[in-house]
Amino acid sequence: MGVTFATSPTLFPRAAAAVINAGRAAAARGWVPATSGNFSAWIDENAFAVTRSGVDKGSLTPDDLIVQPIDAPLEPGSSAEAALHLRLYRDAPETGAIFHVHSPAASVIGRAHARDGALRIQGWELEKALSGVTTHEAVIEVPVFDNDQDVEALAERVARRLAEPPHDAVAAPGYLLAGHGLYAWGRDAREAWRHLEALETLFQQILASRSYRP
Ligand SMILES: [Zn+2]
């Protein structure tokens, strides 16, 4: 099935390239095993490009993408999780790209902190890769949600939580689904990738520090 253009066909290739490159890079790192994960990027103010259900993120082509209008229900062939992308783009129009991975570290650390409802990160230099963070002393809060196969209900819970950022910590540009993975975003694909890579690496560092005993 080919791509259908609901909007601005001339801008589609740029969004498609962003999604394809992110999928390939995530696959190379082992973060999207067995066709998992979802990647999306803005085309223009009316629509975004998102990976369709069940495709290998390491070998995406433009035919593996769906053009999803912002003001419409999910297009046929969409992953159920595209609802999480759609809700975030609607609620935060400054979002330029959203990358979702089922990486081992994110899955494990989300599950470990499900009961807390959040993971707080402090004391790591890589926090500074998150936009607006200038010191390792900053406290970063990553929300953690219980996994849920009712994605519409999950999208509602996520939206309500993101609308109320913490008063005593920096809200991470991402959230965890317990035992499932990480969503991260940015104003454009470059920033979304930096946030994804920084958060995932922070999770790996935290897990390593908890198991390392000199
Ligand atoms: Zn997922």
Side-chain angles (χ1 to χ4, degrees):
M1 190 188 298
V3 173
T4 55
F5 291 103
T7 179
S8 299
T10 55
L11 294 177
F12 174 78
R14 190 175 59 182
V19 168
I20 289 168
N21 290 339
R24 190 176 299 150
R29 288 162 173 76
W31 297 347
V32 284
T35 76
S36 63
N38 283 292
F39 296 76
S40 68
W42 261 119
I43 299 170
D44 61 17
E45 69 276 18
N46 299 313
F48 60 93
V50 61
T51 47
R52 67 173 72 250
S53 181
V55 294
D56 181 350
K57 306 308 179 300
S59 55
L60 292 171
T61 73
D63 283 350
D64 296 323
L65 307 184
I66 288 172
V67 175
Q68 173 64 53
I70 284 292
D71 295 327
L74 288 185
E75 292 284 306
S78 294
S79 159
E81 285 190 62
L84 294 168
H85 295 243
L86 181 58
R87 185 61 186 263
L88 189 58
Y89 285 120
R90 282 179 180 167
D91 289 354
E94 71 278 13
T95 308
I98 304 171
F99 299 150
H100 166 53
V101 296
H102 289 200
S103 51
S107 301
V108 169
I109 209 160
R111 188 160 152 159
H113 288 272
R115 201 171 291 179
D116 308 325
L119 167 70
R120 288 203 162 196
I121 300 172
Q122 185 181 28
W124 299 92
E125 178 68 11
L126 203 49
E127 293 174 46
K128 290 162 57 184
L130 306 177
S131 286
V133 177
T134 56
T135 170
H136 64 283
E137 294 175 348
V139 178
I140 311 296
E141 181 174 295
V142 187
V144 182
F145 300 92
D146 287 330
N147 198 20
D148 195 338
Q149 301 304 326
D150 183 344
V151 181
E152 290 292 344
L154 178 58
E156 186 61 34
R157 279 194 286 134
V158 170
R160 281 204 302 268
R161 174 82 177 269
L162 297 185
E164 294 182 4
H167 301 296
D168 57 346
V170 177
Y175 60 82
L176 286 159
L177 300 179
H180 176 160
L182 168 67
Y183 274 81
W185 55 83
R187 286 167 294 188
D188 54 30
R190 188 182 299 249
E191 186 178 78
W193 179 262
R194 196 181 76 233
H195 288 163
L196 178 74
E197 190 167 41
L199 288 169
E200 173 62 23
T201 306
L202 284 161
F203 301 153
Q204 292 175 17
Q205 290 171 340
I206 293 166
L207 290 177
S209 71
R210 287 178 185 172
S211 59
Y212 177 70
R213 294 287 175 271

